[in-house]
Amino acid sequence: MRTSSLAGGGMLIGFNLFQACKPSVKPPIDLSNLDYNDFNAFIKIANNGAVTIFSPNPEIGQGVKTAMPMIIAEELEVAWKNVFVKQGILDTKYYTRQVAGGSQSIRHGWDALRQTGATAKQMLVNAAALRWGVDANDCKVSEGVITSPTGDTLGYGEVVNEAALLEVPEEVSLKETKDYTIIGTETVNVDIDGIITGKPLFGLDYTKEGMVFAAVVRPPAFGQKLKSFDYSEARKIPGVIDVIKIGKKVQGLLEADPSFGSKISPSDKIAVIAKSTWQAMKAKNVIKAEWEDDTFMESTADHDKKLTDLLDGTQWENRRKDGDVNKAFKEADTVIERTYESPFLPHNCMEPMNFFADVTASKVHLVGPIQTPEWKAGLVAKMLEREPEDILLEMTRMGGGFGRRLYGDFVLEAAEISDAIGKPVKLVYSREDDMSAGVYRPAIKYRIKAAIKDGQLTGYHLKEAAINDNMYGLIPNFFPAGAIANYQVDTANYQSNITTGAWRAPYTNFLAYAEQSFFDELAEAMNVDKVQFRIDLLKKVQPEKDERIQYDPDRMIAVIKKAVEKSGWGQQPKGVFQGFANYYCHNTHVAEVADVVIENGKPVVKKVTCVVDCGIVVNPMGALNQIEGGVIDGIGHSMYGDLAFEGGMPKASNYDRYRLIRMKEAPKVEVHLMQNEHSPTGLGEPTLPPAGGAVANALKAATGQRIYKQPFAKYPELLKIIEEPIIG
């Protein structure tokens, strides 16, 4: 890919030929003979009118590789059928926030991407106007064709060479929402043909001539370090090239940047290099390694005790304090206190961790699936003591991320191996590597205490006890912040040698279940309608007087009312038990209603009605995929997700012992999108957190039992769930 800088720089216009993936269809454009002009880092336009748009952010299945170019194309005024999309590389000069995390890609890119398309369009119109000798304001554009006041026409390709030489306009007009022709339309994923025909799009697909493969032996338990190893048998396996010890460079990086410590093991590791992945993995399995305990080998029982001790202790960090909760509790007619518990969770991406690295004297070439390319390129540069400009990082499509690919320990390993052997190398994790050497969602406990006085909620105290950094569990300014006069949020944590980090919908994936279940219990104690109870609280919020409040109470009330309407709340036939939850996270407001029935003596989630306010929907088809996926993922992990540890070792390393939701267990998800003209917000994560709360509240209606721990299916005495046997 070629880029050029312009005065005012920072934009790129380009073309992508995704339809060429169809073997029975000839590409409409001969890419080898195109004469491109680079407008900026996003857009390229050829002299025949072809348009390529580069998508700057990592694609993990959330659809940004389709949606971000749609935004540019809308303002560029080109026909989507004539647009080709390509994945951009890491480019810190022309792109900003090349990150897939927090459901923020579209939200942060919305204004800049529209400006990019509109600026390029204006330059093309200005060029045509100069040729005609007319005022550019009198020209019109439709699908890449510029029309003069007298009816003359010029295609973008006819003026692209002249336009590229013009000054970049500082101010341009953006389209009104009512005039959109691309944004808001059902648009097929630009990679779909390649995905279903097996084209090399993912990190595991990447190859390069002369490349070798690596597999790594890591400590079997967290808290261990390598003492010695015997690789004599491994070297006898055909195809094995070398066996080396790695880890010193990563340890040096950890010393320089201790904040990365909870995300990667500090132990030395053993890398096997071979001519194929299979040969490397076979050899890895016969290496005789001796490990010694470095720190305490924690088990699930240890975590449980430490979290409980934190909840019962006094070492707290205050996150928000309104009024006086202690006074509210002393004066209360009723005080309700509940504790909610969650386990560790692995990420279980469909595509295991992998990365390509080629470290040479002139450059470091990195290719693979990563959610934070700039961060990882910077860490590799530090680790290898190279200049940042020495690093070339290309992003591939990812077979899932969910937060695991934020951290990129596998990128560092690949780079260290390539540097040591002087060859291009592809590092590949097995499924067992992926699950047992992960960066997990930390186990967390919440304790919520509420005061009720004269039929009103007068006090609310939320405590979080978490493992490692507690930034992954709590947002103090989300609902019900601002709705209760006496409101306090405190956190505490302890450090574990088990690596932990963000897991899909961090901060909220478990908290939403805890709070929404607690709200239902409060409403029952106060003998008020559960939904109206939430609405009444929201009506008390005054965000204009409290800038800390992050949610919009009016938008939240609207999604609640829509969910009540669309789900038939309270009007279902006998035998259908409903549970309600609403939540705000990742800048999006969501309300969900779960329908549960009893079949063969056990509760079954049959349907979830989901109402979402995410502002303008760029691609409704992509939005539906994200919403449905988030709901089902939220239900599945609330019901079944559980990773226990014994002596620092995960008790599950593959799907024979780790329970995921099955296809037959996935409920129908009915989606309703609120229509408004607010700027777009996140969609990849917001529908996951309330799903667990809606299901828990529906299970209470069906069984009469409240659940205070996840996964729900672990407590058959509460749910009367008959688990299907798991092999082993």
Side-chain angles (χ1 to χ4, degrees):
M1 183 178 72
R2 175 175 60 90
T3 60
S4 60
S5 61
L6 298 172
M11 297 195 307
L12 170 76
I13 302 178
F15 304 84
N16 169 304
L17 204 56
F18 65 89
Q19 290 181 344
C21 295
K22 299 178 180 177
S24 61
V25 180
K26 292 183 179 180
I29 298 172
D30 182 359
L31 296 178
S32 63
N33 293 318
L34 289 181
D35 180 16
Y36 283 109
N37 268 282
D38 301 355
F39 274 80
N40 50 49
F42 295 89
I43 307 170
K44 281 182 158 189
I45 296 181
N47 55 9
N48 67 350
V51 178
T52 299
I53 299 178
F54 289 88
S55 182
N57 282 30
E59 173 60 64
I60 55 175
Q62 82 281 42
V64 295
K65 192 176 176 182
T66 303
M68 296 182 96
M70 286 175 67
I71 298 170
I72 295 174
E74 181 68 72
E75 294 290 350
L76 185 59
E77 287 282 14
V78 292
W80 181 251
K81 64 182 179 181
N82 295 328
V83 171
F84 308 106
V85 178
K86 286 191 177 295
Q87 176 66 60
I89 65 170
L90 174 64
D91 187 340
T92 57
K93 182 177 181 180
Y94 291 112
Y95 299 138
T96 60
R97 200 188 181 277
Q98 285 184 272
V99 174
S103 298
Q104 297 297 297
S105 293
I106 297 298
R107 177 173 175 260
H108 279 279
W110 174 246
D111 290 331
L113 293 172
R114 287 190 299 154
Q115 194 81 13
T116 293
T119 300
K121 180 188 75 173
Q122 191 61 55
M123 292 169 69
L124 292 158
V125 171
N126 289 348
L130 283 172
R131 184 185 294 190
W132 288 322
V134 300
D135 189 334
N137 293 325
D138 295 330
C139 297
K140 296 180 180 179
V141 182
S142 177
E143 296 192 343
V145 177
I146 308 164
T147 303
S148 75
T150 60
D152 294 328
T153 61
L154 286 171
Y156 279 176
E158 297 177 84
V159 294
V160 64
N161 294 330
E162 300 153 68
L165 300 176
L166 296 179
E167 182 179 352
V168 177
E170 294 184 2
E171 294 185 8
V172 294
S173 298
L174 299 177
K175 296 174 70 172
E176 294 185 24
T177 307
K178 65 180 179 61
D179 296 324
Y180 288 161
T181 58
I182 296 176
I183 292 174
T185 61
E186 299 276 355
T187 305
V188 173
N189 186 317
V190 295
D191 281 337
I192 193 63
D193 288 345
I195 291 171
I196 64 177
T197 57
K199 296 297 187 297
L201 300 171
F202 297 87
L204 282 174
D205 299 326
Y206 184 82
T207 61
K208 184 178 180 179
E209 186 176 353
M211 179 179 79
V212 296
F213 296 84
V216 173
V217 181
R218 300 175 180 83
F222 290 92
Q224 290 184 322
K225 65 179 181 180
L226 181 64
K227 184 177 181 181
S228 64
F229 65 99
D230 178 357
Y231 58 85
S232 56
E233 293 300 315
R235 292 299 298 265
K236 297 177 183 178
I237 293 178
V240 172
I241 299 170
D242 203 355
V243 179
I244 63 173
K245 184 168 72 171
I246 63 169
K248 290 300 182 186
K249 289 186 179 296
V250 172
Q251 290 168 33
L253 180 64
L254 290 174
E255 292 174 2
D257 186 4
S259 65
F260 199 51
S262 64
K263 311 298 184 295
I264 188 170
S265 168
S267 173
D268 288 331
K269 305 174 185 69
I270 308 158
V272 179
I273 298 93
K275 294 179 180 179
S276 73
T277 299
W278 177 243
Q279 292 167 334
M281 288 185 175
K282 282 182 65 179
K284 183 186 80 165
N285 291 335
V286 300
I287 287 178
K288 298 175 182 177
E290 185 179 356
W291 306 88
E292 60 183 351
D293 295 351
D294 185 36
T295 56
F296 180 62
M297 313 291 284
E298 296 172 291
S299 298
T300 294
D302 300 316
H303 300 308
D304 183 74
K305 182 179 185 306
K306 289 182 179 181
L307 291 175
T308 298
D309 289 345
L310 284 176
L311 287 178
D312 294 337
T314 59
Q315 299 300 312
W316 294 96
E317 184 173 352
N318 180 254
R319 301 293 182 176
R320 177 167 174 145
K321 186 175 182 179
D322 299 342
D324 188 339
V325 294
N326 292 325
K327 181 180 179 182
F329 293 136
K330 289 179 182 178
E331 297 176 351
D333 299 326
T334 304
V335 174
I336 297 176
E337 181 175 293
R338 298 290 183 266
T339 300
Y340 300 85
E341 304 176 25
S342 69
F344 287 95
L345 290 181
H347 293 82
N348 286 314
C349 305
M350 183 65 73
E351 178 191 19
M353 301 303 108
N354 67 91
F355 225 79
F356 168 86
D358 185 10
V359 180
T360 66
S362 60
K363 69 174 181 178
V364 177
H365 186 198
L366 304 172
V367 184
I370 185 68
Q371 292 179 243
T372 50
E374 182 178 357
W375 184 22
K376 296 299 97 58
L379 287 175
V380 169
K382 286 182 180 179
M383 183 182 73
L384 300 180
E385 298 181 340
R386 303 289 289 264
E387 295 299 322
E389 51 267 25
D390 290 345
I391 313 297
L392 168 63
L393 192 150
E394 298 181 63
M395 293 169 278
T396 63
R397 192 177 182 92
M398 288 175 252
F402 313 115
R404 176 62 182 94
R405 287 188 160 98
L406 290 172
Y407 303 107
D409 43 316
F410 45 92
V411 182
L412 299 175
E413 289 177 349
E416 186 173 5
I417 294 169
S418 178
D419 183 53
I421 66 176
K423 296 178 183 293
V425 64
K426 177 73 160 292
L427 171 66
V428 180
Y429 281 38
S430 66
R431 175 59 60 193
E432 288 78 9
D433 292 333
D434 204 47
M435 195 177 292
S436 61
V439 178
Y440 309 98
R441 185 190 81 171
I444 293 176
K445 289 189 180 184
Y446 289 116
R447 183 168 289 171
I448 312 178
K449 186 176 181 180
I452 301 171
K453 175 70 174 177
D454 297 329
Q456 298 294 316
L457 182 60
T458 57
Y460 190 95
H461 191 186
L462 172 63
K463 292 182 177 181
E464 175 198 83
I467 291 171
N468 292 329
D469 41 31
N470 53 13
M471 65 175 289
Y472 294 113
L474 194 61
I475 293 292
N477 299 313
F478 285 4
F479 181 72
I484 305 165
N486 304 296
Y487 175 82
Q488 186 167 326
V489 176
D490 295 314
T491 63
N493 70 300
Y494 80 89
Q495 294 303 305
S496 168
N497 50 42
I498 295 176
T499 52
T500 60
W503 189 92
R504 188 176 187 179
Y507 317 104
T508 59
N509 52 57
F510 177 64
L511 177 59
Y513 146 71
E515 289 198 305
Q516 289 298 305
S517 183
F518 189 67
F519 287 153
D520 259 30
E521 194 161 356
L522 286 178
E524 290 171 359
M526 297 166 67
N527 196 29
V528 296
D529 181 85
K530 298 179 178 68
V531 174
Q532 191 60 46
F533 173 58
R534 291 166 167 85
I535 292 175
D536 290 343
L537 284 173
L538 285 162
K539 288 181 177 179
K540 296 179 180 180
V541 181
Q542 297 179 298
E544 68 278 3
K545 295 183 179 180
D546 187 349
E547 62 182 14
R548 296 172 297 172
I549 299 298
Q550 297 182 29
Y551 61 95
D552 185 320
D554 293 332
R555 293 175 74 176
M556 182 63 82
I557 290 172
V559 297
I560 289 174
K561 290 182 176 180
K562 179 70 74 172
V564 167
E565 172 197 346
K566 296 297 183 180
S567 68
W569 175 258
Q571 301 175 17
Q572 294 298 311
K574 185 178 180 180
V576 177
F577 304 92
Q578 292 187 305
F580 179 87
N582 65 279
Y583 209 71
Y584 166 90
C585 67
H586 302 88
N587 312 102
T588 293
H589 302 77
V590 178
E592 297 179 17
V593 176
D595 293 357
V596 166
V597 300
I598 303 297
E599 293 182 354
N600 300 320
K602 66 176 182 178
V604 176
V605 184
K606 299 294 286 187
K607 178 184 174 183
V608 174
T609 303
C610 182
V611 178
V612 179
D613 182 351
C614 60
I616 295 169
V617 179
V618 176
N619 182 5
M621 183 182 295
L624 184 66
N625 291 337
Q626 293 184 78
I627 291 168
E628 291 179 342
V631 170
I632 292 171
D633 198 12
I635 293 172
H637 280 90
S638 295
M639 291 288 290
Y640 307 113
D642 185 18
L643 186 69
F645 285 82
E646 188 65 45
M649 185 181 301
K651 296 179 72 173
S653 62
N654 212 317
Y655 296 133
D656 58 340
R657 291 184 179 274
Y658 186 80
R659 179 75 154 85
L660 291 167
I661 191 170
R662 294 162 182 160
M663 292 181 72
K664 66 179 181 180
E665 295 164 338
K668 175 183 177 182
V669 181
E670 182 181 299
V671 176
H672 300 275
L673 292 160
M674 303 296 287
Q675 301 298 316
N676 56 52
E677 295 189 3
H678 292 290
S679 296
T681 54
L683 260 189
E685 296 165 289
T687 62
L688 184 148
V695 169
N697 289 333
L699 290 171
K700 165 58 170 62
T703 67
Q705 299 291 333
R706 283 243 166 252
I707 309 167
Y708 300 100
K709 298 180 181 181
Q710 288 185 358
F712 304 155
K714 193 175 181 179
Y715 306 97
E717 69 277 9
L718 295 179
L719 302 183
K720 301 178 182 177
I721 288 179
I722 303 171
E723 272 280 57
E724 295 181 22
I726 298 177
I727 297 172

